[in-house]
Amino acid sequence: MNKGTELIHNGHETDPLTGALGVTIYQTSTFLRKDISKGPGSQEFDYSRGGHPTRQALEEIIATLEGGAKGYAFGSGMAAISSVLGLLSAGDHVIAAEEVYGGSIFILNNFYKRMGIETTLVDSGNPANIRAAIRPNTRALYLETPSNPLLKITDLAACLAIAREAGLLSIVDNTFMTPYLQQPIKLGADIVVHSATKFLGGHSDVVLGLAVTRTEELGEKLHVVQNSFGAIPGPWDEWLVIRGIKTLKVRLETQQSSAQQIAEWLLTHKNVSNVYYPGLSGHPGREIHQGQASGPGAMLSFKTKTVEQALRFYEKVQLAAAAPSLGGVETIASRPVTMSNIATSAADRERLGITDTLIRLAIGLEGAEDLIADFDQALA
Ligand SMILES: *Cc1c(COP(=O)(O)O)cnc(C)c1O
């Protein structure tokens, strides 16, 4: 089925009880035990941490969209990611791409390291680096493409094949692309994670995370973590994401088309030294990206020639909010060195090219020509 159709028709068009168009918000923490002589497994819903109808609708929708067996919702993207990593055990080793979301590297290198799980960060741009990092105790591979904030491309099929061959649990953060543009499970991933705070919610008004497993069996394991850690979202936030997903196609298509125009315009600006966007013909790995995703997305980054020009841009820009986050209807200009990459060491930032002149844009739904005129005055 066409992805746009699936965003609307995914088994949750109507409330089975009333025929209402859309999913109902069940504001409840618990459910009547129908047969008190039996345990919680005797009925579908028992206590909301373990299962809840509004959450279940969202979980089924994201599983359908990602082409996986089971979906799970969490209180934030980080709650989803930490719960997925809760599948690992002390003594396990993880290989992660060095340019995954800063928060993911932070929990691996801090909390999970303390729990006896070691992580090796690699440049996933070359799949051979993953093969070279595999140890006897390696259990998982953690990827994200395009990367944050430099939009580096990882060849998912090649890296996931290495993971499969070595028996690793493969996890892909698909926040930037969403299932509308890229479906990592179809390329071999075991688990896909999302910050639904971003494009899926789409309106900068909710924090929520999602995870989808390739198999039922892996889903059952993740459900135990979800129910035990209890990092679940509330029904209102679940409903907001269900609602947001319905308009994902029109938002992303428009944002992506504006991002392409803006990236091409930035390339010609005299105060801009570099532009990073998978839709540009010179972008490294563009062919690989085109082979695994149906569009370049709405995230782009660029570097000004001087730090002063970058700082002035955030000060003078009118139509972009100088803020963290992305994927909303409003354009957001983030500063990676003081936001998403605050936990990255200065040496690593230098090595990766995450400089003080780097500006990350999440393009919103404003008119592209208005954004270009505004960016032009802010860069002057
Ligand atoms: C924001 C983000 C996260 C973390 O999600 P939260 O909802 O903020 O907890 C994880 N991965 C990516 C790529 C993100 O952009």
Side-chain angles (χ1 to χ4, degrees):
M1 197 184 278
N2 176 288
K3 271 288 150 207
T5 308
E6 216 171 53
L7 294 172
I8 311 296
H9 297 281
N10 46 43
H12 292 282
E13 295 90 330
T14 52
D15 173 33
L17 211 59
T18 62
L21 293 199
V23 171
T24 303
I25 300 174
Y26 285 94
Q27 195 69 37
T28 187
S29 60
T30 192
F31 299 83
L32 288 175
R33 182 72 60 89
K34 290 177 187 128
D35 183 346
I36 206 75
S37 71
K38 293 194 178 133
S42 64
Q43 58 191 61
E44 192 174 18
F45 302 112
D46 179 68
Y47 180 63
S48 292
R49 174 155 39 73
H52 179 278
T54 309
R55 188 161 76 235
Q56 187 183 67
L58 172 58
E59 293 175 337
E60 288 175 2
I61 291 169
I62 194 64
T64 300
L65 295 177
E66 288 288 1
K70 301 289 267 181
Y72 295 95
F74 300 87
S76 69
M78 285 317 303
I81 293 163
S82 10
S83 297
V84 164
L85 294 172
L87 293 167
L88 299 174
S89 305
D92 287 354
H93 172 244
V94 179
I95 300 171
E98 62 189 352
E99 274 200 41
V100 299
Y101 180 71
S104 309
I105 294 179
F106 184 80
I107 52 164
L108 281 167
N109 279 342
N110 292 276
F111 296 100
Y112 283 99
K113 189 172 181 182
R114 268 203 282 116
M115 312 283 168
I117 294 166
E118 253 194 286
T119 300
T120 301
L121 297 178
V122 301
D123 174 357
S124 58
N126 180 0
N129 294 337
I130 291 167
R131 200 184 289 279
I134 295 175
R135 303 178 190 168
N137 63 335
T138 305
R139 292 286 175 268
L141 173 66
Y142 191 99
L143 302 171
E144 187 177 323
T145 181
S147 75
N148 183 16
L150 291 170
L151 291 307
K152 281 196 196 153
I153 305 303
T154 292
D155 185 336
L156 284 178
C159 296
L160 295 170
I162 293 170
R164 180 137 301 215
E165 196 185 300
L168 312 183
L169 176 76
S170 55
I171 305 157
V172 178
D173 185 331
N174 202 28
T175 299
F176 272 26
M177 287 286 101
T178 82
Y180 183 67
L181 296 176
Q182 177 172 280
Q183 295 124 42
I185 287 175
K186 295 196 175 141
L187 299 167
D190 294 315
I191 300 183
V192 167
V193 291
H194 279 285
S195 170
T197 311
K198 316 295 170 49
F199 289 102
L200 296 175
H203 296 73
S204 304
D205 55 9
V206 59
V207 173
L208 192 140
L210 295 167
V212 179
T213 63
R214 164 190 287 282
T215 64
E216 294 267 346
E217 193 189 2
L218 195 50
E220 291 310 319
K221 288 183 185 162
L222 187 56
H223 181 233
V224 173
V225 183
Q226 184 197 38
N227 191 18
S228 320
F229 279 11
I232 51 153
W236 284 86
D237 287 352
E238 291 154 1
W239 184 85
L240 280 170
V241 174
I242 291 169
R243 175 176 154 128
I245 286 172
K246 295 181 187 190
T247 56
L248 179 64
K249 172 185 166 171
V250 280
R251 285 186 285 108
L252 206 45
E253 291 282 5
T254 303
Q255 290 164 332
Q256 177 171 260
S257 143
S258 298
Q260 183 74 41
Q261 290 173 60
I262 291 163
E264 285 169 12
W265 171 78
L266 282 167
L267 270 184
T268 67
H269 199 284
K270 69 177 194 321
N271 292 341
V272 172
S273 65
N274 303 74
V275 185
Y276 306 89
Y277 182 61
L280 293 175
S281 59
H283 191 77
R286 188 191 188 204
E287 287 71 34
I288 291 167
H289 182 79
Q290 285 175 332
Q292 65 193 15
S294 59
M299 297 299 300
L300 67 99
S301 292
F302 68 99
K303 284 177 185 169
T304 52
K305 288 193 175 150
T306 69
V307 180
E308 293 67 42
Q309 286 165 349
L311 293 174
R312 206 165 53 233
F313 178 85
Y314 294 108
E315 234 170 71
K316 292 178 70 179
V317 75
Q318 299 288 315
L319 296 179
S325 203
L326 59 109
V329 294
E330 59 290 285
T331 295
I332 291 182
S334 303
R335 186 152 202 258
V337 289
T338 56
M339 294 175 180
S340 56
N341 294 88
I342 192 83
T344 312
S345 73
D348 280 344
R349 289 204 296 258
E350 165 88 22
R351 187 171 54 80
L352 297 170
I354 302 167
T355 60
D356 288 343
T357 57
L358 183 66
I359 296 171
R360 191 190 77 184
L361 294 176
I363 304 302
L365 292 177
E366 304 88 348
E369 66 288 357
D370 291 335
L371 289 171
I372 288 173
D374 184 39
F375 296 167
D376 196 34
Q377 65 79 26
L379 282 169

